[in-house]
Amino acid sequence: MILSLSLALILNLGWIEGFEAVPYFPPDGWILVNADAYDAYWVPTQSTPHSGARSAVCCADFNSQNADYLITPCVMPRAETGDTLLSFWVRSTTAASCSIEVMISTAELPAPSSFTNLATWPVTQEWHSRSVSVGAFDARAIYCALRVSLLPSGQQVTVDDISLPAALPQPDLCNGLLRTRGEPAQQRLLVWGTHEEMGYAHGFLLAEQCLANMTRFVVGTTLYHWWTPTEYEGQVLPYFRTYFSIPAPFEEEATGLLAGVRAKGVSLFHPALARDITVEDILCSNAMGDFQGFNCSSNSGWGESTAADDTLEGGVVIARNFEFPTGQNATLGHTSLIIAFDPSDEDEQRTASVTFAGYFGCTSLVNEHGVGAFIDNGNYPIQGSITPGSLSPFGLSLRKAVEAAGATDVYGVATGIEHSTSRYAYDVHLVSPFDAAHPVPAAILEINNIADSLRFATNNGIAPPIASATNMVVTNHHRVLYPPVYCDRYEALACSLNANLAIDTQRAFRLQDSVAWWVPSYLAGTLHSIAVRPNVLVENPSWPCILVSYAHRWGGSHTRPRHAYSWDELFWRDAQAPAMIAGITVTPVNGDLLLAWSDPGDNVGVTEYRIYRSGAAFFPVGLPSLAGSTSQLQWLDPGAGQSVGVFYRVTARDASLNEGPPSPSVGGMGFALVVP
């Protein structure tokens, strides 16, 4: 029994990532980079893994070069322990030529530009094991990356069971986590801290995508661009400088975003502008909707309308189309995502925004109280006498109102917006949960530069009427602030609801799909298809509450499959390390030493124990003293029973790579030395 235990516990400092330990992707410490900012990302898959239930897959890109990096945590090869091998299993869905590269970076920040090629192999349709020595980087901190190249359209490359040298304590690269899902591929970003820290994480983790949106969509010379260089430099920027004033938190967020892009090593040069992008450009791009309108629509229901649905049970659901008049599929569909903001300011609350890389204003936003705002442009962009410095980008003003700690109902958001700061006209669909504290769970804020008004379900009698007190519809037309005008989309939605007022989440989506649109020649139409369930968000945060699909290549978002996210999932991060291990016993076993201990406890669960060894009783833990690791509550040190003066300390780590404090030092004879 003891002999078999000895064989099982021989030290092995390396580790294997099989993508099984956590329900999200990538695992903590791993980094994803979509270097070409097109539509493919590394995502998890349960289709034909090499072992277990999950593996990682990279799909064919809009650009067949791919340039999608799967970057490992920071590791350190050690020749003295033989821990110098990187290996993995890989297969492809195609017999056509494609390859996978192993790349290495010794930089402190693992920017794609810092990686050099170590090995390249062709990928076949059968699982093959690939191995390469990283012994040339002995005792150096390195990042390893897998990158797929030349993957034909519609094909995939899958990797699994990646064996790596020992992982180091991971550096805090930024206050953010970028995660993905598939199929189809979707990404989501969690950022936390101050506005500058959140902006830095946004810029660092999405650097390539932020710059792609600036160069492929915001300013350029094609019909797919929002502004031409002449318009932007000669008209838009001068107007922006003169009349717009940016709230300080968002100035800081834009500053952080640009700093994150720069730290990633991504070029800020904009070829059409022949200069580098600035903080002012980031802020001006967040004011796009203040210069030219979006074409959007939404419908909501609650109470009697949703009472028959087992999930909603009378709670609120809102479905909405977010649309652009040109060019979004040239880049915006590829870079769309949910950003979960977790601010450290006590006067702000958590919010989740369906948006695209580089845009941190509000187009579709909901806070932790289930209060949401969804922007549609209005049809009366009337302006009064505008004073220099009096305007604010409406998306930023609305985000400020929704993330304010006091925004707990639709009135709280509406009163947080001052109409005189708005340059354009908007119809904003506001929602909250429907309960005793929120008897009015939906309203439409109709606003332009000179006035604003709230429209309620009690105003549904305005022609064309909706015969319901528990449904609302909005397109791009005011109905209370100014007399209504004909809108075919509003007419269609009103007719559908009058035929049947009952809705659930799927019917709310179908109503929006019926008025969605797509014009291939302009790559224009419905960019985001979204549904939010505020009551579910608040009452059952582990249930799906935000459902979304994005435009993709040559089709609108309404043609794409949707993913559903829970509030807990969007904001999940484990920053809590396991507790300290105490009560270690050391037992001689046939010339070896057997260490044993109890589970110290962790909020999620311990996945690994690290054993540190030294000839000195008082020693710091670190890679030089790392003797081994195990997932068990015991570890055998072969031959150590013959040693004189050997001491151990043990730490616990969880799946998020949080390492707990080291235990007191324990000597080979089993006595404890308490380390201050």
Side-chain angles (χ1 to χ4, degrees), residues 73-364:
C74 189
V75 300
M76 182 177 285
R78 294 181 66 193
E80 63 177 327
T81 62
D83 190 21
T84 60
L85 196 65
L86 185 155
S87 63
F88 58 94
W89 289 83
V90 60
R91 68 179 293 270
S92 172
T93 56
T94 177
S97 176
C98 65
S99 61
I100 190 164
E101 300 172 78
V102 173
M103 310 182 79
I104 302 293
S105 171
T106 58
E108 290 186 12
L109 293 176
S113 59
S114 71
F115 281 86
T116 57
N117 181 276
L118 187 63
T120 302
W121 293 284
V123 183
T124 68
Q125 291 177 291
E126 302 297 325
W127 281 109
H128 279 86
S129 177
R130 301 297 187 187
S131 300
V132 62
S133 172
V134 290
F137 304 94
D138 180 41
R140 298 177 66 186
I142 63 172
Y143 292 92
C144 308
L146 300 179
R147 187 176 74 173
V148 174
S149 298
L150 303 175
L151 185 58
S153 177
Q155 303 301 318
Q156 300 176 342
V157 166
T158 305
V159 299
D160 202 357
D161 297 329
I162 303 172
S163 178
L164 294 155
L168 295 170
Q170 297 304 299
D172 293 325
L173 299 178
C174 62
N175 285 18
L177 293 169
L178 179 64
R179 292 170 176 155
T180 62
R181 268 208 205 163
E183 280 281 302
Q186 286 192 2
Q187 54 185 350
R188 63 190 188 277
L189 175 68
L190 168 62
V191 294
W192 61 88
T194 66
H195 279 266
E196 186 169 3
E197 289 170 333
M198 293 191 292
Y200 181 91
H202 183 168
F204 182 81
L205 293 172
L206 296 175
E208 297 82 2
Q209 299 179 54
C210 291
L211 263 294
N213 284 338
M214 291 296 297
T215 59
R216 297 175 190 167
F217 176 73
V218 178
V219 181
T221 57
T222 75
L223 58 83
Y224 305 132
H225 284 89
W226 200 249
W227 294 305
T228 68
T230 301
E231 289 172 334
Y232 183 70
E233 298 277 35
Q235 302 172 35
V236 175
L237 266 185
Y239 188 96
F240 182 79
R241 290 169 182 153
T242 301
Y243 291 103
F244 280 85
S245 178
I246 307 299
F250 300 124
E251 183 91 36
E252 295 165 6
E253 196 159 337
T255 300
L257 189 151
L258 200 69
V261 173
R262 188 178 290 113
K264 188 76 165 289
V266 174
S267 172
L268 294 171
F269 185 75
H270 192 303
L273 295 176
R275 61 172 177 81
D276 282 357
I277 295 297
T278 66
V279 169
E280 183 181 53
D281 296 316
I282 299 296
L283 290 167
C284 191
S285 70
N286 273 264
M288 284 188 297
D290 297 87
F291 290 89
Q292 185 175 344
F294 310 129
N295 300 319
C296 309
S297 61
S298 56
N299 74 90
S300 61
W302 64 93
E304 182 181 0
S305 174
T306 63
D309 181 71
D310 291 340
T311 301
L312 298 173
E313 295 182 326
V316 174
V317 63
I318 177 172
R320 91 85 128 243
N321 292 338
F322 178 63
E323 298 160 340
F324 265 93
T326 186
Q328 80 269 27
N329 200 43
T331 181
L332 297 190
H334 303 156
T335 66
S336 290
L337 76 163
I338 298 175
I339 301 181
F341 296 97
D342 190 359
S344 56
D345 191 327
E346 62 182 13
D347 293 325
E348 297 175 339
Q349 60 178 305
R350 290 176 167 184
T351 56
S353 175
V354 182
T355 183
F356 42 87
Y359 190 88
F360 48 84
C362 165
T363 59
S364 306

Side-chain angles (χ1 to χ4, degrees), residues 22 26 79 142 208 311 409 416 435 506 595:
V22 292
I142 63 172
E208 297 82 2
T311 301
D409 58 25
D435 52 34
Q506 295 308 314
L595 281 67

